[in-house]
Amino acid sequence: AFCEQVGFTHVGTVKDGKLTIEERGLQERDWERYDISSTPLTGASESGEAVTELTPEEKAEQDRKRKLAFNAPKRIQKIEELIEKSEAKIVEYDDEMMTVGNDVEKLMALTDKKTKEEENVVSLMEEWEELEDVIAEMASL
């Protein structure tokens, strides 16, 4: 009851010697995670180091990663669809290139289109990999 009356604006969590500060109010699940009755109230972590707050830049980066991790499953699904479409276009361009024969102008245009689609696939794969890394990093916090 006291905590609700105070109206906290930030919640700090210590896990594996790292402090995570979130700008939000308390939630019921905050109390379910930890047994706070057995934790001594000191200004140091379990290893004896002083606990420091995150810089605004670190906090902004953490918020960005948290949002990325939250939206990652939907984005990964979309990326998979986009990759499939790009790969289908690449196959179409290959087929067209075979039917065009010796028309150099058309071959060059199709090659350019194919190259752009291949670059698009590489870019999407890199984004997918970054999202997987962020998910793994946020899961370890």
Side-chain angles (χ1 to χ4, degrees), residues 128-140:
W128 188 348
E129 187 176 324
E130 178 186 338
L131 290 171
E132 291 288 349
D133 290 345
V134 169
I135 289 171
E137 182 181 339
M138 296 310 288
S140 69

Side-chain angles (χ1 to χ4, degrees), residues 48-66:
E49 299 173 9
V51 177
T52 58
E53 279 197 41
L54 298 174
T55 66
E57 294 82 16
E58 290 171 330
K59 184 178 179 222
E61 179 65 12
Q62 189 177 51
D63 287 345
R64 183 189 75 80
K65 286 182 179 181
R66 187 179 306 113

Side-chain angles (χ1 to χ4, degrees), residues 18-85:
K18 295 181 182 176
L19 174 64
T20 304
I21 298 176
E22 297 175 82
E23 186 174 351
R24 64 173 175 82
L26 290 172
Q27 300 171 354
E28 273 304 311
R29 63 185 173 90
D30 292 328
W31 303 112
E32 294 170 1
R33 284 188 186 171
Y34 312 101
D35 180 13
I36 60 173
S37 61
S38 64
T39 306
L41 299 175
T42 65
S45 67
E46 290 177 15
S47 64
E49 299 173 9
V51 177
T52 58
E53 279 197 41
L54 298 174
T55 66
E57 294 82 16
E58 290 171 330
K59 184 178 179 222
E61 179 65 12
Q62 189 177 51
D63 287 345
R64 183 189 75 80
K65 286 182 179 181
R66 187 179 306 113
K67 288 175 187 174
L68 268 177
F70 179 77
N71 293 319
K74 287 184 254 178
R75 180 63 186 155
I76 289 172
Q77 184 177 11
K78 182 67 175 174
I79 288 172
E80 288 174 346
E81 294 168 8
L82 293 171
I83 289 172
E84 284 179 24
K85 289 178 183 177

